[in-house]
Amino acid sequence: MAVKPTKAEKKQNYDAKLCQLLDEFTQILVVNADNVGSNQLQSIRRGLRGDSIVLMGKNTMMKRSVRIHAEKTGNNAFLNLIPLLVGNVGLIFTKGDLKEVSEEVAKYKVGAPARVGLVAPIDVVVQPGNTGLDPSQTSFFQVLNIPTKINKGTVEIITPVELIKKGDKVGSSEAALLSKLAIRPFSYGLVVLSVYDNGSVFSPEVLDLTDDDLVAKFANGVSMVASLSLAISYPTLAAAPHMFVNAYKNVLALAVVTEYSFPEADKVKEYLKDPSKFAVAAVAAPAAAASGGAPAAAKEEAKKEEPEEESDDDIGMGLFGDD
């Protein structure tokens, strides 16, 4: 008969396992495990088997092991995990892609009934329709102010009703009604709270960023740098094109109001002296485009007509040849 390990031995084994995982893995997902049952947790472990390991435990034990291991190895990056170990949390050590592992964890959600006193994670809306309950059950609906009618000997809900709001506690009447309607409004599973990657800690929303999001954020950052540089007249690579354009505008404006000139300014001065040239230039552009298209069309028609003339000559020569 196998001898059961003592509590002290269990703690030592747990500490050794956690330290081994910290040395072996550089990526960790900190997950919340509220309302997650043991069978559901086993399913998650099987689904992640291969490149990920799920480790649950008491927060005090995990914090102690992490702190001691950080002191032994001199790797203070492990200490960033300690503030994250709050509440009913667990650790998923992985060598795979963090986004893929997070998506795999999210698949294992199980429907759950609304229990009395439970804080609703989502809004619960009862849709209209036949409930299948006999008319004696209308008291539940009357207590909750749900409009109903009797249709073919059963209770029917007339309009959609928001029964429970997100963040509210489930009351006894709401729980009893949802149970009678066989509605399991909530679903629970491991929820990723934080991501640890080589000593850096960040929110799981970062995993949902795409290349387009990164490009947009980078472009926004460049725009802010350019705006700040222009405001304080400090040259940067982002602001240089704008500075050159603004400088050119200033030189051009100065040339217009003074005798100083250069080729580009001469054109502007010419237009300012005779504004009618603006209209001529505007009309000339489409006219040039149209005139440029007309010869091309004429050439195409000429090319189409040439083969017809050649064919007539060929026919004539053939007739003379017969003579």
Side-chain angles (χ1 to χ4, degrees), residues 15-276:
D15 179 73
K17 182 177 181 180
L18 179 56
C19 293
Q20 178 186 352
L21 293 174
L22 289 173
D23 291 335
E24 184 178 352
F25 295 85
T26 59
Q27 299 180 140
I28 305 172
L29 297 178
V30 181
V31 295
N32 181 278
D34 286 341
N35 302 299
V36 178
S38 57
N39 292 335
Q40 186 179 357
L41 194 58
Q42 289 299 328
S43 299
I44 296 173
R45 283 194 168 101
R46 285 194 296 269
L48 298 177
R49 188 172 296 166
D51 58 359
S52 303
I53 296 176
V54 181
L55 181 67
M56 308 297 294
K58 293 183 178 180
N59 293 345
T60 53
M61 190 181 301
M62 287 193 288
K63 290 180 179 178
R64 177 179 176 277
S65 298
V66 170
R67 188 179 294 108
I68 294 175
H69 189 64
E71 293 175 357
K72 286 182 179 179
T73 59
N75 188 355
N76 292 328
F78 292 140
L79 298 177
N80 294 332
L81 283 170
I82 293 178
L84 308 178
L85 302 177
V86 178
N88 185 17
V89 297
L91 303 176
I92 299 179
F93 297 84
T94 181
K95 292 182 179 178
D97 183 83
L98 289 171
K99 180 176 176 60
E100 293 178 359
V101 175
S102 179
E103 291 174 350
E104 183 67 23
V105 170
K107 292 179 182 177
Y108 294 90
K109 288 190 176 182
V110 177
R115 297 187 179 91
V116 178
L118 192 68
V119 177
I122 58 172
D123 294 332
V124 179
V125 178
V126 178
Q127 299 298 332
N130 197 312
T131 63
L133 301 176
D134 60 84
S136 63
Q137 305 291 330
T138 53
S139 58
F140 288 104
F141 299 96
Q142 292 173 354
V143 170
L144 298 170
N145 296 322
I146 299 177
T148 60
K149 67 178 181 179
I150 306 302
N151 184 16
K152 298 180 180 180
T154 58
V155 179
E156 182 177 332
I157 299 176
I158 300 174
T159 58
V161 178
E162 188 177 18
L163 190 62
I164 308 172
K165 292 185 178 181
K166 181 179 179 180
D168 293 347
K169 287 188 177 182
V170 180
S172 57
S173 298
E174 292 90 344
L177 177 60
L178 292 171
S179 177
K180 288 181 178 294
L181 297 176
I183 296 176
R184 299 166 68 88
F186 306 141
S187 60
Y188 297 105
L190 294 181
V191 179
V192 179
L193 300 177
S194 302
V195 180
Y196 173 93
D197 188 1
N198 287 301
S200 301
V201 178
F202 50 87
S203 171
E205 284 78 11
V206 175
L207 301 178
D208 298 328
L209 291 176
T210 62
D211 292 341
D212 293 337
D213 295 329
L214 296 176
V215 170
K217 289 183 178 295
F218 179 77
N220 185 44
V222 172
S223 176
M224 294 178 66
V225 170
S227 300
L228 180 61
S229 300
L230 291 173
I232 63 177
S233 299
Y234 184 82
T236 61
L237 190 60
H242 304 282
M243 288 182 169
F244 281 117
V245 171
N246 292 337
Y248 174 74
K249 290 179 179 178
N250 293 334
V251 172
L252 186 61
L254 184 63
V256 169
V257 298
T258 63
E259 297 298 327
Y260 177 78
S261 185
F262 51 93
E264 288 76 9
D266 291 339
K267 294 180 180 180
V268 176
K269 288 182 177 181
E270 187 178 350
Y271 280 123
L272 292 176
K273 288 180 181 178
D274 187 6
S276 61

Side-chain angles (χ1 to χ4, degrees), residues 284-295:
S291 62

